[in-house]
Amino acid sequence: GRGILTGKWTAVGDIPKDSPLNRLDKYQGDNLAHNLKLVHELQKLSQEHNPHTMAQLAMSWIRQLSGANGLPVMIPIAGSSKAENVRSNGIHVDLAQSDVDIIDKLLEANQTIGDRAYTGQKQYLEG
């Protein structure tokens, strides 16, 4: 989430003007405000799994979906410049099916808007 799921960016205006994220329209103005609605809803679910973080829940959600219901095998990769963050983000959280259902409903009701990659990166996404 480039800092969104970890709480680094919680509101429009949090992202410094010189950040490379400003090249992505999903992190600007109304788009960011809209996308943060999903994050805030997911934070409510995350609080029910305290002390686990949003990043841990996100990675665990991907692992749980991997190979289920005809989906391909997915291996989430935690990216960070700090080894302790990669280790922390890799901690597995056992999600109940009700949690997965809530996440699915939140994702459906709060579609993100804006590009998720820079122009030169788009060709490498989605296979």
Side-chain angles (χ1 to χ4, degrees), residues 3 7 32 35 43 49 51-52 69-70 76 80 86 90 92 126:
L32 179 58
N35 294 335
Q43 283 172 336
H49 291 277
H52 297 292
N69 301 320
S80 178
V86 173
H92 183 69
E126 307 300 332

Side-chain angles (χ1 to χ4, degrees), residues 77-103:
I77 300 171
S80 178
S81 59
K82 298 177 183 172
E84 64 267 19
N85 290 347
V86 173
R87 283 190 292 276
S88 174
N89 292 344
I91 292 173
H92 183 69
V93 181
D94 286 323
L95 297 171
Q97 185 57 47
S98 60
D99 294 326
V100 175
D101 293 343
I102 289 169
I103 294 169

Side-chain angles (χ1 to χ4, degrees), residues 36-124:
L36 282 171
K37 290 177 190 174
L38 171 61
V39 173
H40 294 145
E41 290 297 319
L42 290 170
Q43 283 172 336
K44 293 175 189 173
L45 177 64
S46 176
Q47 291 168 355
E48 294 175 20
H49 291 277
N50 192 23
H52 297 292
T53 66
M54 288 267 291
Q56 291 167 345
L57 289 176
M59 301 288 269
S60 297
W61 174 72
I62 292 169
R63 277 190 220 95
Q64 189 156 335
L65 290 179
S66 179
N69 301 320
L71 291 171
V73 172
M74 297 175 276
I75 302 168
I77 300 171
S80 178
S81 59
K82 298 177 183 172
E84 64 267 19
N85 290 347
V86 173
R87 283 190 292 276
S88 174
N89 292 344
I91 292 173
H92 183 69
V93 181
D94 286 323
L95 297 171
Q97 185 57 47
S98 60
D99 294 326
V100 175
D101 293 343
I102 289 169
I103 294 169
D104 289 345
K105 286 178 185 172
L106 289 173
L107 290 170
E108 187 175 321
N110 297 281
Q111 297 284 317
T112 59
I113 54 176
D115 286 334
R116 66 182 202 139
Y118 305 114
T119 303
Q121 295 174 321
K122 290 179 187 178
Q123 64 184 335
Y124 302 108

